[in-house]
Amino acid sequence: MTAEYKVHGSVAVITLANPPVNGLGLATRQGIVDGLGRANVDAAVSSIVITGAGGAFSGGADIKEFGTDKSLQEPNLLSVIAAIENSAKPVVAAMHTVAMGGGLELALGCHYRIAAPGCSIALPEVKLGLIPGAGGTQRLPRVIGVEAALNLIVSGEPVKSEMIGAVPGQKLFDKMAASAEALAADALAFAQSVADVRPLPLVRNLPCKHPEGDAYFQFARNMVKGMAKNYPAPAKCVDAVEAATKRKFADGMLFEREVFINLMWTPESRALRHLFMAERAASKIPDVPSDTPKREIKSVAVIGAGTMGGGISMNFLNAGIPVKILETKQEALDRGIATIKKNYEAQVKKGKLKEDKYAQRMALLSTTLDYADLKDADLVIEAVFEELGVKESVFKQLDAVMKPGAILASNTSTLDVDKIAAFTKRPEDVVGMHFFSPANVMKLLEVVRGAKTSKDVLATVMAIGKKIKKTSVVSGVCDGFIGNRMIEQYSRQAGFLLDEGCTPQQVDKAVEKFGFAMGPFRMGDLAGNDIGWAIRKRRAVERADMKYSRTADKLCELGRFGQKTGAGWYDYQAGKRDAIPSELVNKMIEEHRKELGITPRKISDEEIVQRLVFALVNEGAHILEDGIASKSGDIDMVYLTGYGFPIYRGGPMHYASEVGLFNVVQAMDRFAKNPNDDAAFWKPAPLLAKLAAEGKAFA
Ligand code: NAI
């Protein structure tokens, strides 16, 4: 049973019991309706309390039912709320910990509400590209006022019950319980005290007005337009709350329903719901059960205090975990620590970090030049130069000193984690932890699973990733792992576009208009064009047949590595990050084009975007096929959290499925016929070809 029924004296208590957050799945909804029925026919019962077991009143819809028939099956939430409103005996919601989404809408349908302090109140549907769909937009303004309600609905952010409870005139809570512990007893007493009240109060009967409605809603629309230009839902929140002030309750409910259903079909909502599910799914590894024992991580060691080592250390300090950094020279340590301090001090200056917190974090940080000092660390992360020989020496020393059971991780971005593991006598304890720069800011962590990495090491690293607030995605061992392996194909295609007639600015603009945080050339300038140069030099040996545009090499031959050298695809002014189109670079591209004998042509933004995004998609399909990623959602998470792919498009694999894989393959066939592109490049991955032929999607 996911809703329990018990009678205490004259009060029937219906307790939602669907862990972890009492989601309103079909069985729970049915349980509520059954409980109401029983209470109403039991002469000994004179009032009813609905509450939640464990750590929530209710978190709303049951995500396990998302997209299944069960989510729509009767009794749906609207019907449950109707049953509550129609109960002849008073129904009291006893709210604690979490009352969100459908959970709050359920409470708003009750005759009375009593809340414990500390209860998070929210209507977060907007975060999934939706509006509340079970009366939230119509009932909430009636109890906390139009402006407060719209604020909650548009932001989706939670507010604590005691804050709302303290507002004079609010009608959301009829009573505040003295404490969370007192809620059950207070709710029983309250339910008894209202047992004889008739007629029973209903939120739907309360007035809903704004004295300057037209002006206020116009203002709200302007605000929302600026904040959420790529998302339709926030503006619809305004429309729905306005409807609550202008229409009769029943008409407002119909309006809300219509808007909700229309939003369900928007690509933006589909992308946001995909992201929501993919994020949760990413933490689950198919062959590593969730009850796999985890190792305890109480202290961390970091090898190398450079760009990455410093940022990686900050993640753990921020989470309250002590870090010891090792370097070969005192100067390198000093430089690294100074950078960490500079980063924290900038946060303090901006008011984002309190002085005492800064001091606490720095107190957790220590340094050493001696491997023996690291021996007790539970996890060590190596971030030294990207050379296998250097990694070998580091891992041999770690193997010699680290205690048994310590996890040995490498932040390598290109090297073979299995080779690194083989430098030790404990390859089962070795794993890749690939952070992205700046490591203290970027959300993505690629967890690289070596051939011998043990399951408990993986489970532990995924858990620690969560603790340091990263989105962790598991990748198998291959060149570039998931993210960089795909970006290489994207960069190759960007090069062909230059050869054919584009300027870097045109390509960047098209890609940024599509929604990427940054186009490929601005990104190259930020990351350093020399990184790709090194990879291409390696490729020239390994894969001499692979076609590349030579423009990027020519750029590097000019020493234009990007922002760090003050010049790359663009020019930069000292101390500024603004990308200024470079005449010199554009000339270089033109000359190279002449050498190739290509007559430039005007390439549409649509073609630019398709060629770049489908390059990602095709490599993503290979990655799935090779088992480097276990699901397409993982690939999307990598691109959404690490590469600035537009959130409202849901990641490359989701986007391709939205476009239709058949259409993707058709476009690829067209591109393959372009003599200035590369026919081999556009050969669809077998998985992509198969899914397209079967009319299927990736997910
Ligand atoms: P970096 O050059 O800024 O820092 C490397 C640090 O390691 C230097 O401070 C150096 O003194 C120290 N070091 C070198 N050999 C050492 C040894 N034997 N023992 C102890 N310390 C030693 O390099 P960065 O950018 O921090 O890269 C480090 C690792 O992270 C590389 O494997 C790189 O591929 C990887 N990585 C880099 C990213 C980036 O965007 N920079 C992104 C993701 C991974």
Side-chain angles (χ1 to χ4, degrees):
M1 264 316 266
T2 57
E4 291 156 6
Y5 181 87
K6 253 192 197 144
V7 178
H8 300 260
S10 63
V11 182
V13 178
I14 300 171
T15 304
L16 314 181
N18 184 20
V21 293
N22 301 324
L24 298 167
L26 178 60
T28 308
R29 299 195 303 267
Q30 187 64 57
I32 299 170
V33 173
D34 291 349
L36 290 168
R38 276 171 81 176
N40 270 284
V41 296
D42 184 345
V45 169
S46 51
S47 49
I48 303 154
V49 166
I50 299 180
T51 192
F57 171 72
S58 170
D62 188 340
I63 62 168
K64 292 192 285 292
E65 283 187 5
F66 260 30
T68 70
D69 290 346
K70 272 191 174 176
S71 65
L72 303 171
Q73 221 167 302
E74 291 282 11
N76 64 31
L77 185 54
L78 284 168
S79 307
V80 175
I81 292 171
I84 294 172
E85 286 191 324
N86 292 329
S87 165
K89 297 175 183 176
V91 182
V92 180
M95 303 156 75
H96 65 88
T97 330
V98 169
M100 289 193 184
L104 180 58
E105 291 177 301
L106 177 82
L108 284 165
C110 293
H111 303 111
Y112 299 97
R113 286 155 299 279
I114 172 168
C119 178
S120 291
I121 302 294
L123 289 174
E125 288 79 357
V126 74
K127 296 189 171 179
L128 299 180
L130 300 169
I131 66 168
T137 65
Q138 304 303 299
R139 289 193 180 88
L140 193 63
R142 287 178 154 82
V143 292
I144 63 170
V146 169
E147 294 192 16
L150 183 56
N151 189 306
L152 263 165
I153 294 167
V154 158
S155 71
E157 291 296 322
V159 176
K160 290 285 178 211
S161 51
E162 60 271 27
M163 282 182 73
I164 298 177
V167 177
Q170 67 82 24
K171 299 188 183 73
L172 177 55
F173 307 126
D174 298 281
K175 192 177 161 62
M176 291 297 294
S179 65
E181 295 70 37
L183 178 69
D186 285 5
L188 284 180
F190 183 83
Q192 281 163 357
S193 76
V194 296
D196 298 326
V197 175
R198 295 294 180 282
L200 287 167
L202 290 175
V203 171
R204 61 158 69 213
N205 294 334
L206 295 172
C208 188
K209 292 236 153 44
H210 191 289
E212 274 96 34
D214 289 344
Y216 169 70
F217 285 110
Q218 186 56 43
F219 167 75
R221 272 195 189 93
N222 293 343
M223 288 281 289
V224 160
K225 215 188 326 176
M227 279 162 20
K229 61 179 191 313
N230 295 311
Y231 296 91
K236 297 293 178 191
C237 295
V238 181
D239 294 350
V241 173
E242 184 178 38
T245 68
K246 295 217 161 134
R247 301 183 185 212
K248 293 204 179 92
F249 179 81
D251 292 344
M253 286 296 286
L254 285 178
F255 181 79
E256 179 195 81
R257 195 73 204 155
E258 192 183 311
V259 171
F260 175 83
I261 288 168
N262 285 334
L263 284 171
M264 280 290 255
W265 289 99
T266 59
E268 292 82 2
S269 174
R270 281 208 292 256
L272 290 171
R273 282 179 280 146
H274 167 68
L275 166 65
F276 182 86
M277 303 299 278
E279 189 163 24
R280 278 152 188 78
S283 62
K284 299 189 178 80
I285 312 169
D287 64 332
V288 180
S290 58
D291 58 357
T292 303
K294 295 178 191 70
R295 303 185 190 181
E296 215 178 348
I297 306 294
K298 286 207 230 127
S299 67
V300 171
V302 173
I303 316 294
T307 311
M308 295 307 288
I312 291 169
S313 301
M314 287 176 75
N315 287 309
F316 293 96
L317 300 175
N318 297 350
I321 300 171
V323 175
K324 195 180 281 289
I325 308 186
L326 178 139
E327 267 281 354
T328 47
K329 294 207 177 73
Q330 186 60 41
E331 303 86 81
L333 276 178
D334 294 343
R335 229 179 304 126
I337 302 302
T339 307
I340 293 176
K341 279 189 173 161
K342 203 180 82 194
N343 283 336
Y344 277 137
E345 276 157 19
Q347 291 178 19
V348 171
K349 236 190 212 154
K350 285 189 204 145
K352 285 185 182 161
L353 178 67
K354 295 229 169 75
E355 279 281 358
D356 58 332
K357 276 258 163 76
Y358 167 39
Q360 276 169 24
R361 288 177 192 182
M362 287 310 290
L364 292 172
L365 180 62
S366 59
T367 61
T368 184
L369 298 169
D370 182 0
Y371 275 89
D373 287 343
L374 307 181
K375 64 181 195 316
D376 295 325
D378 301 304
L379 164 68
V380 49
I381 304 173
E382 164 279 312
V384 302
F385 299 141
E386 187 74 340
E387 285 164 33
L388 200 61
V390 186
K391 308 279 188 200
E392 174 172 6
S393 120
V394 169
F395 274 83
K396 283 196 164 145
Q397 293 182 79
L398 289 174
D399 194 24
V401 300
M402 299 308 292
K403 69 178 181 191
I407 296 176
L408 315 185
S410 172
N411 181 49
T412 181
S413 34
T414 56
L415 300 173
D416 184 337
V417 172
D418 290 330
K419 278 189 190 153
I420 294 176
F423 297 140
T424 73
K425 286 190 248 8
R426 39 176 135 176
E428 66 282 3
D429 293 337
V430 178
V431 65
M433 285 178 80
H434 184 214
F435 289 84
F436 288 72
S437 182
N440 54 317
V441 178
M442 294 296 289
K443 290 280 289 173
L444 178 61
L445 173 64
E446 277 182 329
V447 173
V448 186
R449 176 179 194 168
K452 295 195 176 149
T453 308
S454 76
K455 291 186 181 179
D456 66 325
V457 165
L458 276 174
T460 306
V461 171
M462 294 304 276
I464 199 84
K466 194 165 182 191
K467 184 141 194 208
I468 60 173
K469 302 202 170 83
K470 298 292 176 197
T471 300
S472 307
V473 176
V474 176
S475 169
V477 174
C478 68
D479 202 328
F481 312 128
I482 296 172
N484 286 341
R485 176 167 157 184
M486 286 164 69
I487 211 77
E488 187 179 353
Q489 304 310 323
Y490 170 93
S491 301
R492 278 179 71 203
Q493 203 43 236
F496 297 149
L497 285 166
L498 296 186
D499 290 350
E500 267 198 79
C502 290
T503 59
Q505 325 41 298
Q506 191 196 348
V507 174
D508 282 350
K509 230 166 117 193
V511 171
E512 285 158 22
K513 210 167 84 196
F514 176 77
F516 266 92
M518 231 182 264
F521 298 106
R522 286 215 294 140
M523 192 177 76
D525 278 359
L526 180 70
N529 297 311
D530 50 322
I531 298 180
W533 197 23
I535 294 173
R536 285 191 302 279
K537 284 178 187 161
R538 188 148 55 85
R539 287 282 177 274
V541 180
E542 295 166 354
R543 295 273 321 264
D545 59 317
M546 209 187 233
K547 184 176 164 188
Y548 267 102
S549 161
R550 281 265 303 135
T551 46
D553 297 344
K554 291 193 163 184
L555 186 81
C556 290
E557 283 157 16
L558 296 172
R560 297 182 69 108
F561 292 169
Q563 289 189 20
K564 62 183 170 191
T565 56
W569 294 105
Y570 296 89
D571 292 330
Y572 296 91
Q573 285 171 345
K576 290 198 179 154
R577 286 172 179 273
D578 307 288
I580 306 162
S582 161
E583 228 171 275
L584 185 144
V585 169
N586 289 347
K587 222 178 218 116
M588 176 199 85
I589 295 168
E590 275 169 34
E591 272 161 23
H592 179 61
R593 199 179 290 142
K594 265 190 215 142
E595 284 166 25
L596 294 173
I598 297 176
T599 315
R601 70 176 172 100
K602 170 122 187 56
I603 300 177
S604 69
D605 286 0
E606 191 192 1
E607 182 180 336
I608 293 172
V609 167
Q610 285 191 345
R611 282 169 62 174
L612 292 177
V613 174
F614 296 168
L616 292 176
V617 171
N618 198 38
E619 193 61 26
H622 282 298
I623 283 173
L624 272 177
E625 213 157 20
D626 297 350
I628 297 299
S630 62
K631 43 202 177 301
S632 65
D634 285 2
I635 297 176
D636 287 332
M637 287 317 299
V638 166
Y639 267 77
L640 293 167
T641 58
Y643 292 82
F645 198 95
I647 303 283
Y648 57 90
R649 298 195 192 272
M653 308 313 270
H654 176 82
Y655 176 72
S657 298
E658 286 277 306
V659 170
L661 300 187
F662 177 82
N663 296 319
V664 172
V665 169
Q666 293 268 307
M668 290 171 64
D669 287 346
R670 262 196 330 272
F671 301 150
K673 295 196 179 86
N674 174 354
N676 297 322
D677 204 320
D678 177 9
F681 185 107
W682 289 117
K683 188 172 180 322
L687 176 68
L688 174 58
K690 177 170 172 281
L691 292 174
E694 291 170 355
K696 289 190 180 150
F698 280 117

